Amino acid sequence: MPLAKDKKDQIIGDYRRAEGDTGSTEVQIALLTSRIEQLTAHGQTHKKDVASRRGLVKLVGQRRRLLNYLRNRDYDAYVALADRLSIRRKTK
């Protein structure tokens, strides 16, 4: 199930860089993190739902690629975002 529109708008508002920013790396990572948390909770309840687990693994991989991109482009922003979202991070 996708994120609710109001929750998605709230996340975009919290992590955007400027007015009208909906697609920056930080926003994408925050949205993926919220979806990952949602699918993780679903997986704990429905242990045999393999299709959702596969989707979860794909989302984690996509978030990892975006985090690596942000880490290489702007390390300070990477550290700040990882701390804010409580994501384990690699050291430089």
Side-chain angles (χ1 to χ4, degrees):
M1 183 161 78
L3 291 174
K5 179 160 175 43
D6 55 339
K7 184 171 183 176
K8 187 174 180 179
D9 291 340
Q10 178 189 8
I11 292 170
I12 290 171
D14 291 343
Y15 290 94
R16 67 181 177 201
R17 291 183 183 176
E19 189 68 32
D21 173 22
T22 59
S24 67
T25 308
E26 291 90 344
V27 171
Q28 291 181 53
I29 292 169
L31 289 171
L32 285 171
T33 300
S34 178
R35 184 75 176 116
I36 287 168
E37 290 169 355
Q38 185 181 25
L39 279 174
T40 301
H42 173 82
Q44 291 172 348
T45 307
H46 303 88
K47 297 196 184 299
K48 295 189 177 190
D49 189 355
V50 179
S52 291
R53 179 167 170 73
R54 181 176 184 269
L56 173 64
V57 170
K58 287 182 71 171
L59 289 178
V60 170
Q62 184 177 2
R63 183 180 71 176
R64 179 84 263 149
R65 288 190 301 273
L66 284 169
L67 283 167
N68 286 339
Y69 170 79
L70 184 61
R71 189 172 122 232
N72 292 332
R73 299 281 286 179
D74 186 2
Y75 188 75
D76 294 332
Y78 165 74
V79 170
L81 184 67
D83 289 343
R84 192 168 172 198
L85 291 173
S86 301
I87 297 174
R88 288 181 292 162
R89 59 184 170 87
K90 297 178 183 177
T91 56
K92 194 167 189 179

